[in-house]
Amino acid sequence: MRKSKHTWRILLLTALCCLIGASLGGTLAYADTSASSYNYSFWGRTVAAPAAYKAATVLDGKGLGIGALKDPSDMHVTPDNQIYLLDSGNNRIVVFDSQFKLIRTIDSFMRDGKQETFNNPQGLFVTPQKQLIVADTGNQRVVELDANLAVIKVIDPPQSELLNANFKFQPVRVIADQAHRIYVMSVGVFDGFMEFNQNGEFTSFIGANRVKVDPTELLWKRLSTRAQRSQMVMFTPTEFTNLDINDEGFIYATNGDVWGDTVKKLNAQGNDILRRTGYFNPKGDIRYTTEQGPGRLIDIDVTDSEMYSVLDGARGRVFTYNGDGHFMYMFGGIGNQLGQFKTPVAIERVGDDFLVLDKAFGEITVFKTTEYGRTLNEATRSYYRGDEEKAFELYNKTINMNANLEFAYSGIGKSLLRKGDYKEAMHYFEESYDRGNYSKAFLLYRKQVLKEHFPTIMTGIVVVVIAAFAARVLWKRKKLRRIRGVSIES
């Protein structure tokens, strides 16, 4: 009896797994695109688009006059456009100006009268006051130096009840907010980012990802015996892959979650407040082959006007979104041609130029905007500033260069909405399939029409009421006369 029951369980499990696998395979079997630049339509179709960025030059260590780069892992650009490059394999940080002229090299610092060096550092961050924060991974610490390279503090492996007894501190990415709290991404930490106060004391975790469950694996666990379940891997939250912070103190982060939200915007409480009103949630490519699988976002860069860009390490592509989550443009790829990479690891902006760091090649590729890219960027900025006239003009110019950019029609509609031209806004919202804003424009247009024609409407109603009242009075009088006439005759 027990053997028969076990056999039926296996058969049922096999059938269900086949069904689930077929279902998942159907959703993943998208045709990958080989286009150099594209967008996604409202219906999820890949549509060709003009290039927003083109590779202008490739810089390596020898060309920069600093010797060959060895496994570089991170970059940071300051508000005054100084470029900090983390040359991890050479245990140094190289600082350039915006034209890539060498300013200085940082490979050691003095601490308590002794010279100390970095050991395979993986991440860095520079505050507006030029305080340098380094994730000194090999030394299991975070080092903070002032503008003169004097030590401000060193964060060694923390001790806390919130940490496991076998916790190993391996910081790989760091940022700091305006209150000078330091947020650290550490290897093997699934509870979110580690938060340290001004004194370098560990206080809490922030922004932990929710646990995501593979349906097939969950089914296996449900149908397995207790002994079998004990040998299976526990469900754990997804690790973050990178983070950045904007001028307002909001943390933007990427993670390796294939099924959930791969991009997040965290407030001070660690809540995700990213707007996702685009056609698809920000995640890079939404179309891919089953064999290739989904991409993996490994870096994020936040710029002005709530625009942000993410780097897909698997495909070498950079995707840029506006503050509402609309996909603006992409560039890059894996390969040996100009504008392609082997192992991209970091992206940064210098003004409107993009820098992409390739770890394997030890190179930085500089991308510059085309006219299309500049126009779209400025249209987004104009709308963010509330300059409706400029945004309307630039979005129209963008559409003339790329009629397939459906969300630009929504941008025009929003500009018209702010200007009070609700009827025309409805037309553009309809073109962009923006149902939410179309409904909003429709309600405002209906209210506007009623307000404009209210005197006429009310006059008409009053006239109709008076006419109806007069007609009733006349009808009653005629009826009364008829009754009186009948009475006299009788």
Side-chain angles (χ1 to χ4, degrees), residues 454-483:
F454 182 77
T456 304
I457 294 172
M458 289 305 300
T459 300
I461 293 174
V462 171
V463 169
V464 170
V465 170
I466 293 175
F469 180 75
R472 183 175 179 82
V473 170
L474 290 174
W475 179 78
K476 284 185 176 180
R477 287 182 178 179
K478 287 182 180 181
K479 184 176 180 181
L480 184 59
R481 288 174 183 173
R482 193 180 302 114
I483 294 172

Side-chain angles (χ1 to χ4, degrees), residues 414-433:
K414 290 175 182 177
S415 298
L416 293 170
L417 195 66
R418 285 182 174 180
K419 292 168 60 177
D421 192 350
Y422 307 128
K423 184 177 181 180
E424 191 67 11
M426 289 166 56
H427 166 71
Y428 283 99
F429 287 139
E430 186 176 12
E431 289 289 327
S432 64
Y433 303 97

